[in-house]
Amino acid sequence: LHRAESSVGTGRTARGTLVIATGGPGVSGIASADHTIARLGDELTDSFDVIFFDTRGVGESGYVDCPKASGHYQSSLTFESTAGVIDDFVESCMTETGVRPDDLAQYGSAHIAEDIETIRRDLGVDRIALYAESYGTLAAQRYAVAHPDHLSALILDGAIDLAQPTDASWIEATRGFDDVLVLARLYRTALDHLDIRPFTRQERLGGIASADPVRVALPDGAVLAVGGGTQ
């Protein structure tokens, strides 16, 4: 397991420790650290030690890859036929990498959760704030269940439901994407036709809006308030 350096410079006192669990599976936390730091903002990085790591089989943590099997999998996958294609991919990938069937269990989200706990212990901190995105939310949820006393905060970005099979999760996510696009179109319409400007960064941080809210009825009967104190 590889641990990235803190983002907080020498001599600064951090308010806490933030551990980032990236998505994928297969996204390198170490390789994406600079990009992630840039979008977190100074308010957070000036106040927290930010820790990145590569999950098992990724980047500097025993990199495992099967490009031939992956290429065949991507070209063969269809909505009508998934089970057989996935089974063939797993078998082909193990053959290509030399990973044995008995080894597969050590790459699961439960093991990644315990790796996060190892990082916490190695850092010598009592509690961590854990931010996870996409696939990383599986490990983060397992960590929260196993080690709740060592969490100061849990942020799930694009959370995956542990109780759902993969196909059901993607169907639900697709519906969510559609809802977001509808909201985005409504918000843009409000900006274009109702003379409401986007919130500035300071307004977002302070919860201050530039105009009274405009309420827009959504297709499902819900009401969206655009502007005002709604963020």
Side-chain angles (χ1 to χ4, degrees):
L1 192 67
H2 182 83
R3 188 179 72 209
E5 293 297 327
S6 162
S7 69
V8 176
T10 304
R12 292 185 179 180
T13 302
R15 288 171 45 195
T17 300
L18 174 65
V19 177
I20 307 287
T22 50
V27 176
S28 167
I30 303 302
S32 60
D34 289 344
H35 173 74
T36 302
I37 284 291
R39 63 185 175 88
L40 287 179
D42 293 342
E43 294 93 344
L44 193 149
T45 56
D46 285 349
S47 303
F48 284 81
D49 290 322
V50 184
I51 307 298
F52 297 88
F53 67 99
D54 286 343
T55 56
R56 299 178 179 212
V58 177
E60 299 186 41
S61 293
Y63 182 62
V64 177
D65 190 21
C66 47
K68 292 181 180 179
S70 296
H72 179 72
Y73 167 74
Q74 293 294 338
S75 63
S76 304
L77 188 62
T78 65
F79 283 107
E80 291 75 20
S81 176
T82 58
V85 175
I86 293 174
D87 290 342
D88 289 344
F89 165 70
V90 172
E91 184 175 349
S92 299
C93 188
M94 287 191 296
T95 301
E96 187 175 346
T97 60
V99 173
R100 299 172 300 176
D102 292 344
D103 296 332
L104 292 179
Q106 68 176 316
Y107 296 102
S109 56
H111 288 81
I112 298 173
E114 292 310 310
D115 291 338
I116 294 172
E117 174 63 5
T118 299
I119 292 173
R120 182 200 65 79
R121 290 198 304 265
D122 286 351
L123 291 173
V125 297
D126 183 54
R127 291 175 179 266
I128 58 171
L130 181 56
Y131 168 82
E133 55 190 16
S134 190
Y135 173 76
T137 65
L138 294 177
Q141 291 174 74
R142 293 188 184 279
Y143 183 87
V145 171
H147 306 285
D149 293 341
H150 293 301
L151 273 178
S152 61
L154 177 65
I155 306 99
L156 302 178
D157 185 353
I160 297 176
D161 188 345
L162 286 166
Q164 284 190 333
T166 301
D167 289 349
S169 294
W170 277 115
I171 291 172
E172 183 176 335
T174 301
R175 290 170 179 161
F177 299 154
D178 289 341
D179 290 343
V180 169
L181 290 174
V182 169
L183 291 175
R185 286 196 296 268
L186 289 171
Y187 184 66
R188 175 49 57 188
T189 299
L191 293 179
D192 291 341
H193 299 289
L194 300 176
D195 194 28
I196 302 175
R197 62 177 174 79
F199 302 136
T200 67
R201 189 162 177 268
Q202 284 300 112
E203 287 170 341
R204 289 198 302 271
L205 290 174
I208 302 171
S210 59
D212 292 334
V214 174
R215 301 187 181 279
V216 181
L218 303 182
D220 62 358
V223 175
L224 169 69
V226 181
T230 304
Q231 303 295 315

